[in-house]
Amino acid sequence: IISLSIITGTIMTMSSSNWLMAWIGLELNMLAILPIISKPKTTRASEATTKYFLTQAIASAMMLLSSTINAWQTGSWDILELKNKFSTTIMALSLMMKMGAAPIHFWLPEVMQGTTLQTALLITTWQKIAPVTLMYMISNNIQPTILVSAGILSMIIGGLGGINQTQLRKTMAYSSINNLGWTITIMAFSPNMALMNIFTYILMTTPIFLMMTTASTKTLQNLATTWTTSMTMTLSISLLMLSTSGLPPFTGFMPKMLILNELVSQKLTTLATLAIMTSLISLLFYLRISYLIMMLTPPTTTPSSTKWRVQNQKSQPMTMMVPTALFITHLIPAIPY
């Protein structure tokens, strides 16, 4: 029932043309994920659930306020009829809050740290789809300055926040914030490219989380010893991290190159340069993870059977997803600009 509610809520939001139906879909989605976040009976999980609920509830209230003011001014609840500037700004902020983009990102690392790896995967992938879709639908009405400012801030915070992390879930949270920065920045100029960027990110993040779940690794220290169990998994995680950072020739390079190309063609060279500089900051912590797990051998490995060695899990989904998440850059010529 819970899984069905999460799927139904997102699909309802994506397919609705009315603000009230979109709001109901988001509420259904939020109420369904709360039991999943609070499933581990720990204080951290309860705290994460409370933070998630409060943040999403405030964002939903802002959505209602924005759509009500707009309906009062224009007489329409239609999503595409969001013409009032004040309403548009509030709506953009509420959607950023739901996604976890800067400057309203503080809840995301904390919530992800307090949940399981599977729930963290759900929050960074599926839960982003509905707000991004709504932002895509109103992108023509949002002032570009707001989107670009929030996007650049997200890139900087996502890069700087992940540098000193040892907890993988927090690192992936900052990685998500950084990627949302790219999505929001290009949303002002080419909404289709923003959608392509977020779906490419989902494609790359999913196998990373699935492999972390299989190996039951939550810290860099644990991740550094996965080579004793599965060298393939170690290599795959390392390459996926580099792909997420946007290094060529991996898949993650494709959307970033197209975004930079679009910014330069729009005569926004300064913005493109700033985006490249911030991506170098985030590259630092992705390279750090890859370096730690591939090039350094921990001084000792435990003689006892550690937690992941006793599990024998099937990995067919990962076998199919990893090559896709690494090597589809050659599809660039087929993508219409």
Side-chain angles (χ1 to χ4, degrees):
I1 289 170
I2 288 170
S3 302
L4 190 64
S5 300
I6 290 174
I7 295 165
T8 308
T10 302
I11 292 172
M12 191 187 293
T13 303
M14 289 171 70
S15 57
S16 63
S17 60
N18 185 292
W19 278 120
L20 284 176
M21 286 306 293
W23 177 78
I24 290 167
L26 285 169
E27 287 300 294
L28 179 64
N29 183 287
M30 179 193 75
L31 291 171
I33 202 174
L34 291 177
I36 296 178
I37 299 174
S38 62
K39 192 181 176 187
K41 299 294 179 281
T42 59
T43 319
R44 290 298 299 265
S46 307
E47 186 186 331
T49 312
T50 311
K51 284 177 179 172
Y52 187 84
F53 171 72
L54 289 174
T55 314
Q56 299 294 320
I58 292 166
S60 296
M62 286 169 69
M63 270 189 72
L64 266 187
L65 172 68
S66 169
S67 50
T68 307
I69 291 171
N70 188 67
W72 183 31
Q73 295 280 332
T74 62
S76 170
W77 286 94
D78 198 300
I79 290 177
L80 300 175
E81 292 296 317
L82 196 71
K83 305 293 184 191
N84 185 291
K85 277 191 176 179
F86 180 65
S87 298
T88 312
T89 308
I90 295 178
M91 185 62 72
L93 286 172
S94 71
L95 292 174
M96 286 174 204
M97 198 170 184
K98 280 202 168 288
M99 284 183 240
I104 325 167
H105 65 281
F106 300 100
W107 62 272
L108 186 61
E110 295 301 319
V111 169
M112 282 180 64
Q113 185 58 28
T115 59
T116 60
L117 284 163
Q118 294 97 322
T119 314
L121 168 64
L122 193 63
I123 291 168
T124 47
T125 55
W126 185 260
Q127 294 300 97
K128 299 266 190 290
I129 296 173
V132 167
T133 309
L134 285 176
M135 188 173 273
Y136 173 83
M137 291 169 82
I138 63 166
S139 59
N140 290 334
N141 300 326
I142 306 174
Q143 292 170 315
T145 317
I146 296 169
L147 289 176
V148 169
S149 305
I152 293 293
L153 193 61
S154 295
M155 287 184 208
I156 294 167
I157 288 171
L160 292 175
I163 285 175
N164 206 27
Q165 295 296 337
T166 54
Q167 296 291 329
L168 290 174
R169 282 167 295 180
K170 277 195 174 180
T171 306
M172 294 309 293
Y174 283 109
S175 164
S176 169
I177 293 165
N178 178 269
N179 195 272
L180 276 174
W182 284 85
T183 306
I184 292 169
T185 303
I186 198 60
M187 187 74 79
F189 309 105
S190 175
N192 290 336
M193 213 169 279
L195 279 191
M196 186 196 70
N197 183 60
I198 196 74
F199 284 118
T200 308
Y201 171 74
I202 289 171
L203 181 71
M204 293 183 296
T205 305
T206 307
I208 292 176
F209 271 109
L210 288 175
M211 280 188 280
M212 284 180 191
T213 308
T214 305
S216 191
T217 55
K218 293 174 184 174
T219 62
L220 272 178
Q221 189 179 4
N222 281 357
L223 194 64
T225 58
T226 49
W227 64 272
T228 58
T229 322
S230 170
M231 199 62 216
T232 312
M233 190 183 293
T234 311
L235 180 65
S236 299
I237 290 179
S238 181
L239 291 177
L240 282 166
M241 287 292 179
L242 295 178
S243 178
T244 314
S245 72
L247 274 184
F250 302 117
T251 301
F253 174 64
M254 175 181 66
K256 288 193 175 178
M257 191 193 75
L258 293 177
I259 287 169
L260 291 171
N261 180 59
E262 179 68 23
L263 290 174
V264 171
S265 65
Q266 297 265 8
K267 304 286 189 293
L268 295 163
T269 317
T270 312
L271 183 58
T273 310
L274 200 54
I276 292 169
M277 297 299 284
T278 54
S279 75
L280 286 176
I281 303 171
S282 61
L283 177 63
L284 187 63
F285 72 80
Y286 291 116
L287 275 175
R288 175 169 167 255
I289 295 171
S290 298
Y291 177 71
L292 274 173
I293 63 178
M294 288 296 291
M295 307 208 178
L296 292 183
T297 307
T300 53
T301 54
T302 52
S304 61
S305 62
T306 45
K307 52 186 176 287
W308 62 82
R309 294 184 197 174
V310 291
Q311 296 174 2
N312 183 21
Q313 297 182 357
K314 294 180 180 177
S315 57
Q316 283 93 339
M318 282 186 286
T319 312
M320 292 182 287
M321 290 178 81
V322 171
T324 316
L326 285 176
F327 305 113
I328 58 167
T329 320
H330 59 276
L331 292 178
I332 290 179
I335 295 170
Y337 286 90

